[in-house]
Amino acid sequence: MAVVNGEEREEMNRANEFVDSVGSKLVASLAGLGLAGFVIFHMLGNLQVFEGSDAINGYASFLHDMPILLWTARAGLLTAAAVHVGLTIRLALRNRRGRPVPYALRRYRAASVASRTMALTGSLLLAFIIFHLLHLTVGVIDPSAPDGMDVQGRLDVYGKIVHAFRNPLYVGIYVAGQLALGLHLSHAISSAFQTWGIEHAALDRLFKLAGPGVALFVVLGNLAIIFAVFLGWLHP
Amino acid sequence: MKFTLRIWRQRGPNERGGFVTYPVDDVSPDMSFLEMLDGLNQRLIVAGEEPVAFEHDCREGICGSCSLVIDGVPHGPERGVTTCQLYMRRFANGATITIEPWRAKAFPIIRDLVVDRRALDRIMQAGGYISVNTGGAVDGNTLLIGKEEAETAMDAASCIGCGACVAACKNASAMLFVAAKVSHLAMLPQGKPERTRRVMAMVRAMEREGFGSCGNQYECEAVCPKHVSVRFIAMLNREYLRASIMGTRIPARSDAPHGESY
Ligand code: HEM
Ligand code: SF4
Ligand code: FES
């Protein structure tokens, strides 16, 4: 290891505060991958509505029966979301300042629509996540939603889901949310490989497909729940 | 051939610019894009008007001076060539061609289509070199370099510093340029001793110049006249991660033997 003098050491330490764009992006990416992990887990958990009200209500009460784990997870998710949003907004503002005078004519060869609209889909996602928390977690959006217990005295999550997605308004909002999520994830996951320096002559094609693949998996799972209720396949 | 040119004219760095339309005819399909502009400038000079300022030097695709955004793509519609190697036969007769300068905060316009790209030089000054101490020349083949490493380093070293990657990027990021320089030197034994300092210094210099950040959109690679691959950006990210870990290590403290200093 080369010996570094004081000035250089100071320079490196300052760079290590993750203030530069490469470092910010690594931290934002780590938080984003955490959120992506949750989104996958969340979708898989919710698929239990297809096993009926007993399964999904049991699943919910299983989670609620472990308050320490539940609240630690919630605190972690909130932190990850705050870090991701804070850093990516800062990066997006910096990027916008990078070209004060736009081109009169612009033709893209490689940059996908999803990759060019990350700030937009991200912001839509943020709005959707806040709405979703107020709607189904806190329960202040829809006063007509059943807030009761099921026959075994557990929170009736099944009833809430079925009530929500019979309403075309909520179906519309959630489908729009899934669209934003799908676009965001389809670039994000593939991009994360590059951000972490993972490239490989043969596997690169797989990494490129990973984003759209994961996005499709999550979105189709979530949409299945929404439309199964809306089309009347899941009964109250 | 005949064309209608829409060219960005701007008298100076702080002047307001705008598009001016010039019809050109008598263009040979075998003329290069810059020769076609030379023809227009001759005509403007004869008519007593200001010729269009654009940069050029080697006109053979190696110096990285020429820098035009043609119909919305840096270096124009042909892939893997610089503006000076673009020929008029690539365009449809009678077409309207829009010509703009590289646009980025870090590349202020000097005049018309000429921009100040010294930001890239300052990034190089921050770390794009190796420190060679004087002394006798090393014997050939003293430092063995594997075929793979040599080829990869050459691929990165083929960057001519034109800045098309910045011009093409939605974020006006200079990542492909910096990645090419960092990777080139990190691959080779001569560059390895300073790799930890180099990547941090160059990233910080890039930051200071006001370039945007990399969004992994790969528009840079698609316009690069030298086909510099975005895998070098992954390599830069690895170098950065490595330096983040190595650079914060507390240096081992050992007594210098026999009073030698470093
Ligand atoms: C479910 C929620 C979300 C998930 C799973 C998620 C995931 C990710 C991931 C994995 C990346 C890729 C980072 C990389 O390239 O390595 C990313 C990038 C990004 N995210 Fe999110 N994100 C979410 C929400 C948001 C929100 C709410 C915002 C906005 C305000 C946002 C804005 C962005 C932006 C702008 C980028 C691009 C960063 C860049 O390339 O410089 N994201 N996201
Ligand atoms: S990486 Fe390619 S586009 Fe960018 S400066 Fe080098 S040669 Fe030009
Ligand atoms: S003039 Fe030298 S590369 Fe075009």
Side-chain angles (χ1 to χ4, degrees):
Chain A
M1 170 84 193
V3 175
V4 282
N5 63 34
E7 193 190 320
E8 288 181 337
R9 172 151 300 279
E10 197 194 338
E11 186 179 291
M12 285 195 287
N13 283 345
R14 258 185 285 135
N16 269 316
E17 287 161 9
F18 285 116
V19 287
D20 60 69
S21 61
V22 181
S24 308
K25 180 135 175 168
L26 281 165
V27 179
S29 171
L30 191 65
L33 288 175
L35 295 174
F38 167 75
V39 163
I40 295 170
F41 176 78
H42 187 54
M43 181 277 285
L44 292 175
N46 287 347
L47 281 185
Q48 293 177 78
V49 287
F50 288 109
E51 288 180 45
S53 66
D54 190 46
I56 185 96
N57 292 355
Y59 169 64
S61 78
F62 165 72
L63 294 180
H64 281 264
D65 283 346
M66 300 178 294
I68 295 183
L69 190 68
L70 181 72
W71 282 100
T72 312
R74 282 178 172 175
L77 281 171
L78 209 66
T79 312
V83 167
H84 185 76
V85 171
L87 288 176
T88 55
I89 287 181
R90 209 175 62 160
L91 283 170
L93 291 177
R94 179 188 177 83
N95 295 343
R96 210 144 292 174
R97 283 196 301 272
R99 177 167 296 123
V101 182
Y103 287 106
L105 192 69
R106 180 93 250 228
R107 216 160 269 164
Y108 288 104
R109 268 183 184 160
S112 64
V113 173
S115 76
R116 287 186 270 127
T117 52
M118 288 302 273
L120 176 70
T121 53
S123 305
L124 289 175
L125 259 183
L126 183 63
F128 172 73
I129 292 167
I130 293 170
F131 172 85
H132 173 53
L133 288 177
L134 293 177
H135 177 215
L136 287 178
T137 308
V138 186
V140 293
I141 298 258
D142 182 6
S144 72
D147 205 12
M149 303 286 168
D150 65 5
V151 281
Q152 294 176 46
R154 298 174 306 199
L155 205 64
D156 189 14
V157 176
Y158 186 87
K160 277 214 266 189
I161 293 175
V162 170
H163 177 82
F165 297 129
R166 303 222 135 169
N167 185 337
L169 174 68
Y170 292 119
V171 171
I173 294 172
Y174 276 76
V175 168
Q178 291 310 304
L179 217 71
L181 177 63
L183 277 170
H184 200 77
L185 281 181
S186 77
H187 177 66
I189 304 293
S190 301
S191 169
F193 284 101
Q194 175 84 351
T195 300
W196 291 96
I198 302 166
E199 45 100 12
H200 184 274
L203 296 180
D204 265 352
R205 289 164 82 183
L206 206 69
F207 301 156
K208 282 230 167 71
L209 286 174
V214 171
L216 209 63
F217 178 62
V218 171
V219 167
L220 285 183
N222 286 336
L223 288 180
I225 299 169
I226 297 168
F227 282 105
V229 174
F230 188 61
L231 300 176
W233 297 338
L234 287 177
H235 302 287
Chain B
M1 300 176 89
K2 283 186 185 180
F3 299 101
T4 306
L5 306 178
R6 268 179 81 221
I7 303 181
W8 182 265
R9 302 295 315 255
Q10 183 172 336
R11 292 178 145 274
N14 301 314
E15 309 271 337
R16 272 182 75 89
F19 282 98
V20 179
T21 304
Y22 299 96
V24 288
D25 44 27
D26 239 7
V27 175
S28 150
D30 295 331
M31 275 183 177
S32 78
F33 201 82
L34 298 187
E35 284 169 332
M36 183 273 296
L37 288 178
D38 289 338
L40 169 67
N41 276 347
Q42 286 304 324
R43 210 183 77 202
L44 292 178
I45 291 168
V46 168
E49 291 175 46
E50 274 296 323
V52 178
F54 61 88
E55 253 189 287
H56 59 98
D57 186 19
C58 71
R59 297 210 179 195
E60 57 178 359
I62 55 170
C63 74
S65 296
C66 54
S67 45
L68 301 178
V69 174
I70 300 161
D71 283 342
V73 181
H75 291 310
E78 197 84 65
R79 282 183 189 247
V81 300
T82 51
T83 302
C84 59
Q85 298 169 292
L86 179 64
Y87 291 91
M88 295 318 292
R89 53 179 172 265
R90 188 64 178 71
F91 296 86
N93 195 12
T96 298
I97 305 173
T98 304
I99 309 170
E100 293 180 78
W102 279 186
R103 290 203 189 276
K105 178 167 164 252
F107 290 164
I109 293 182
I110 297 172
R111 188 188 180 93
D112 295 339
L113 303 167
V114 179
V115 300
D116 180 353
R117 283 173 286 180
R118 279 178 298 176
L120 298 183
D121 299 336
R122 288 189 290 269
I123 295 176
M124 291 303 277
Q125 282 159 9
Y129 53 79
I130 57 166
S131 305
V132 180
N133 299 319
T134 52
V138 184
D139 282 342
N141 289 334
T142 304
L143 280 175
L144 294 179
I145 303 170
K147 173 84 173 154
E148 279 292 316
E149 284 75 28
E151 293 285 342
T152 308
M154 267 311 289
D155 286 348
S158 64
C159 165
I160 55 176
C162 64
C165 42
V166 176
C169 176
K170 182 172 171 284
N171 303 340
S173 169
M175 277 290 266
L176 191 61
F177 169 80
V178 176
K181 302 306 176 188
V182 165
S183 306
H184 161 210
L185 293 175
M187 288 302 295
L188 298 174
Q190 294 89 340
K192 282 199 186 349
E194 290 165 293
R195 65 197 280 205
T196 306
R197 194 201 77 87
R198 177 182 305 114
V199 59
M200 288 305 185
M202 290 184 83
V203 164
R204 278 173 48 78
M206 168 174 85
E207 218 54 18
R208 275 197 300 274
E209 298 294 343
F211 292 104
S213 74
C214 178
N216 300 339
Q217 303 177 9
Y218 308 154
E219 199 60 28
C220 48
E221 180 187 69
V223 303
C224 174
K226 298 295 151 188
H227 292 303
V228 171
S229 163
V230 293
R231 61 176 289 226
F232 291 118
I233 295 181
M235 207 180 274
L236 167 65
N237 288 335
R238 288 202 298 275
E239 282 293 303
Y240 182 97
L241 271 171
R242 179 191 167 279
S244 304
I245 298 163
M246 306 297 273
T248 50
R249 281 198 319 189
I250 298 162
R253 268 206 292 149
S254 59
D255 295 327
H258 313 300
E260 269 179 30
S261 58
Y262 293 106

